[in-house]
Amino acid sequence: MIKSKELQKYIGNQVRRLRKKANISQEQLAEQIGIATNSLSSIETGNAFMSINTLEKLLNAFNISPKELFDFPEISTNEINMASYIKDNLSHIEKDKEKLSILYNFIRLLV
């Protein structure tokens, strides 16, 4: 199971990779998405998470889908059977309407 701190690190690494691939500085990206440079630095290092508005702006700045942002190369798909993992853990949330709604909306974003 992935912990929130790990997720922050994965997302931060992905943002840094995308920024470098776009050949732009932290200052340029921060200005483009309307946040402070030190906030972007904290996101990239995994020390902070972003608001949903900042997430939306990042997706638009890089012209990518949420699926592309959350496709972490650090996690080898060979190490886990993703479908099995999801099925096995679905029972933990199927009676929790709020968590189920979040998962449903997240999946809708990905497909």
Side-chain angles (χ1 to χ4, degrees), residues 1-4 6-7 10 72 75-94 103 106-107:
M1 181 131 213
I2 192 166
K3 305 272 189 233
S4 61
E6 287 177 292
L7 183 58
Y10 290 143
F72 308 123
I75 301 175
S76 170
T77 55
N78 294 331
E79 292 178 22
I80 58 172
N81 179 330
M82 290 181 283
S84 240
Y85 178 83
I86 292 167
K87 287 176 190 173
D88 291 345
N89 287 283
L90 190 58
S91 63
H92 296 290
I93 66 164
E94 65 186 357
L103 180 61
F106 187 72
I107 290 171

Side-chain angles (χ1 to χ4, degrees), residues 24-94:
I24 57 176
S25 68
Q26 279 187 334
E27 291 80 9
Q28 291 169 316
L29 180 58
E31 184 178 331
Q32 185 178 354
I33 63 174
I35 64 172
T37 304
N38 63 341
S39 295
L40 178 59
S41 177
S42 291
I43 290 167
E44 287 189 0
T45 57
N47 292 321
F49 195 69
M50 65 195 93
S51 70
I52 195 71
N53 291 330
T54 300
L55 175 61
E56 178 185 15
K57 290 175 184 177
L58 274 172
L59 295 173
N60 290 330
F62 294 131
N63 195 28
I64 60 169
S65 69
K67 182 179 187 294
E68 292 170 282
L69 180 66
F70 289 94
D71 186 14
F72 308 123
E74 298 95 331
I75 301 175
S76 170
T77 55
N78 294 331
E79 292 178 22
I80 58 172
N81 179 330
M82 290 181 283
S84 240
Y85 178 83
I86 292 167
K87 287 176 190 173
D88 291 345
N89 287 283
L90 190 58
S91 63
H92 296 290
I93 66 164
E94 65 186 357

